[in-house]
């Protein structure tokens, strides 16, 4: 068959069949034989970027090739995810995937540039990190119960800052409002640092972000924790209650992380990456570093990861629609 004719036939095939016809890359026994690119949807220095870098260093040690961070930010993580989805399935492009790329973008964008469920495949589970709601040290409503009571008494009075609409922290507050019936005003920022800066400056009373993003200000006494959003108290903040403890069992929210690779990547490559990641997550220095930032390393089978992702996609789709957030 001539090249043009073959290309014409190829474009008519469903995605699954096209995946079967992708070039046959090395089966994975020798992988990696060159540097691996970790594509991170977040800016350098952020909580998720820190996770990618910590693991990248350990994977370099374990597998003998450099794991280099490629930060591709924007569009809720879809730029990074799309970049990996369209990369060769050879194990040399790995996405730091998570709640944004796999549960939020598919609900927030009418036509995302990639399909999280067919263009990408989970390769290894990394873990979870709760969000932290924090306030100015002098803010009087500094417990979940006090804050909810105050917000009910004066609807719309209290403001909170977070990274943009449709992020895990901002949707945590949307869920809190839906579960409690309170009305608070959301101020959108380009990132957690900007939101925290406005709290420190006294412009707004509260902000919410991943624990790691606010730990510096909390440790310095510049911000006061109100609550975290994990199923249990964070080891980084053992004296800070969870929203579950405040009587809201449905308010367990975490930013979760995993490695994802292009569909069609060799199972042997995925197995090797998963095994090395599991070893890295058992390393005392990695565990200590991650837990200091509120991150909980974990393990899941790929079947469990698949079930979890689908449940998160459904859950946050319902929250987004109830909040009246229209797909872009």
């Amino acid at each position: 068959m001539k090249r043009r004719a073959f290309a014409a036939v190829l474009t008519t095939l469903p995605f699954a069949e096209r995946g079967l016809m992708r070039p046959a890359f090395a089966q994975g026994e020798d992988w990696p034989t060159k540097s691996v690119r970790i594509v991170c949807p977040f800016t350098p220095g952020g909580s998720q970027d820190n996770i990618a870098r910590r693991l990248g260093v350990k994977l370099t040690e374990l597998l003998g090739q450099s794991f280099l961070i490629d930060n591709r930010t924007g569009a809720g993580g879809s730029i990074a995810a799309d970049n990996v989805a369209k990369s060769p399935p050879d194990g040399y492009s790995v996405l730091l995937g998570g709640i944004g790329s796999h549960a939020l973008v598919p609900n927030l964008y009418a036509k995302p540039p990639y399909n999280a469920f067919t263009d990408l495949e989970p390769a290894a589970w990394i873990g979870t990190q709760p969000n932290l709601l924090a306030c100015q040290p002098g803010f009087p409503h500094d417990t979940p119960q006090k804050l909810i009571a105050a917000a009910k008494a004066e609807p719309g009075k209290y403001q909170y800052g977070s990274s943009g609409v449709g992020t895990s922290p901002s949707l945590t507050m949307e869920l809190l409002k839906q579960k409690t019936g309170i009305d608070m005003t959301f101020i959108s920022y380009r990132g957690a640092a900007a939101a925290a800066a406005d709290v420190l400056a006294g412009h707004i009373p509260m902000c919410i972000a991943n624990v790691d993003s606010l730990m510096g200000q909390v440790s310095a006494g510049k911000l006061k924790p109100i609550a975290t959003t994990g199923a249990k108290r964070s080891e980084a903040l053992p004296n800070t209650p969870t929203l579950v403890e405040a009587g809201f069992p449905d308010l367990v929210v975490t930013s979760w992380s995993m490695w994802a690779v292009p569909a069609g990547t060799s199972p042997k490559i995925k197995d090797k990456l998963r095994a090395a990641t599991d070893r890295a997550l058992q390393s005392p220095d990695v565990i200590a570093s991650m837990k200091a930032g509120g991150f909980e390393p974990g393990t899941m089978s790929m079947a469990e990861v698949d079930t979890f992702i689908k449940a998160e996609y459904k859950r946050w789709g319902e929250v987004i629609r109830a909040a009246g957030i229209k797909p872009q």
Side-chain angles (χ1 to χ4, degrees):
M1 184 181 293
K2 293 183 178 180
R3 182 176 298 176
R4 289 183 180 177
F6 176 77
V9 171
L10 181 60
T11 58
T12 67
L13 292 174
F15 174 82
E17 293 182 30
R18 280 186 276 148
L20 294 175
M21 299 181 70
R22 295 174 87 164
F25 291 95
Q27 293 302 303
E29 292 89 345
D30 298 329
W31 178 90
T33 59
K34 61 180 182 179
S35 296
V36 177
R37 191 172 59 107
I38 295 176
V39 182
C40 179
F42 306 94
T43 55
S47 59
Q48 295 295 315
D49 175 76
N50 289 339
I51 291 165
R53 292 179 188 277
R54 290 165 185 158
L55 286 177
V57 170
K58 188 59 66 172
L59 291 175
T60 297
E61 295 176 9
L62 292 172
L63 294 173
Q65 295 289 342
S66 297
F67 280 70
L68 306 175
I69 309 302
D70 181 1
N71 297 93
R72 293 182 179 247
T73 63
S78 62
I79 292 174
D82 185 52
N83 178 270
V84 173
K86 291 180 171 58
S87 296
D90 56 5
Y92 293 101
S93 293
V94 176
L95 173 70
L96 179 66
I99 187 172
S101 61
H102 282 70
L104 303 184
V105 165
N107 282 299
L108 290 167
Y109 290 81
K111 294 182 179 180
Y114 67 97
N115 186 311
F117 301 99
T118 59
D119 295 349
L120 293 164
E121 297 173 350
W125 182 254
I126 298 174
T128 61
Q129 182 177 194
N131 294 315
L132 169 64
L133 180 63
C135 62
Q136 300 167 358
F139 186 59
H141 313 302
D142 56 359
T143 69
Q145 294 87 346
K146 289 179 181 178
L147 178 61
I148 291 167
K152 284 184 176 180
E154 298 182 277
K157 176 180 178 179
Y158 299 102
Q159 299 175 320
Y160 63 93
S162 154
S163 51
V165 175
T167 61
S168 168
S170 70
L171 289 173
T172 296
M173 296 302 287
E174 290 296 338
L175 184 58
L176 176 64
K177 289 189 280 188
Q178 291 171 21
K179 294 295 182 181
T180 61
I182 61 175
D183 178 17
M184 293 193 294
T185 302
F186 171 46
I187 308 296
S188 178
Y189 291 85
R190 299 191 71 174
D198 261 12
V199 176
L200 297 175
H203 300 311
I204 57 174
M206 295 171 285
C207 63
I208 183 168
N210 294 156
V211 168
D212 197 21
S213 297
L214 301 179
M215 278 301 298
Q217 293 94 331
V218 169
S219 299
K222 296 178 180 179
L223 290 177
K224 184 176 183 180
I226 296 175
T228 56
T229 64
K232 60 181 182 179
R233 292 195 181 195
S234 170
E235 290 188 30
L237 294 163
N239 296 322
T240 301
T242 65
L243 291 175
V244 172
E245 292 177 71
F248 303 102
D250 294 336
L251 277 163
V252 175
V253 181
T254 59
S255 292
W256 39 274
S257 304
M258 65 177 182
W259 298 136
V261 293
T265 299
S266 164
K268 291 184 178 179
I269 292 175
K270 291 186 288 185
D271 289 347
K272 199 168 183 179
L273 176 61
R274 186 178 312 122
T277 301
D278 288 345
R279 283 184 62 192
L281 292 173
Q282 293 169 12
S283 175
D285 59 326
V286 172
I287 292 172
S289 176
M290 287 188 167
K291 288 194 172 185
F295 191 85
E296 288 292 331
T299 58
M300 269 200 225
S301 70
M302 290 303 95
E304 290 171 329
V305 171
D306 184 64
T307 299
F308 177 80
I309 292 172
K310 289 175 180 176
E312 286 281 271
Y313 167 76
K314 180 177 182 293
R315 178 194 193 192
W316 292 112
E318 293 171 351
V319 172
I320 288 166
R321 288 188 290 274
I325 301 171
K326 303 298 182 183
Q328 298 180 24

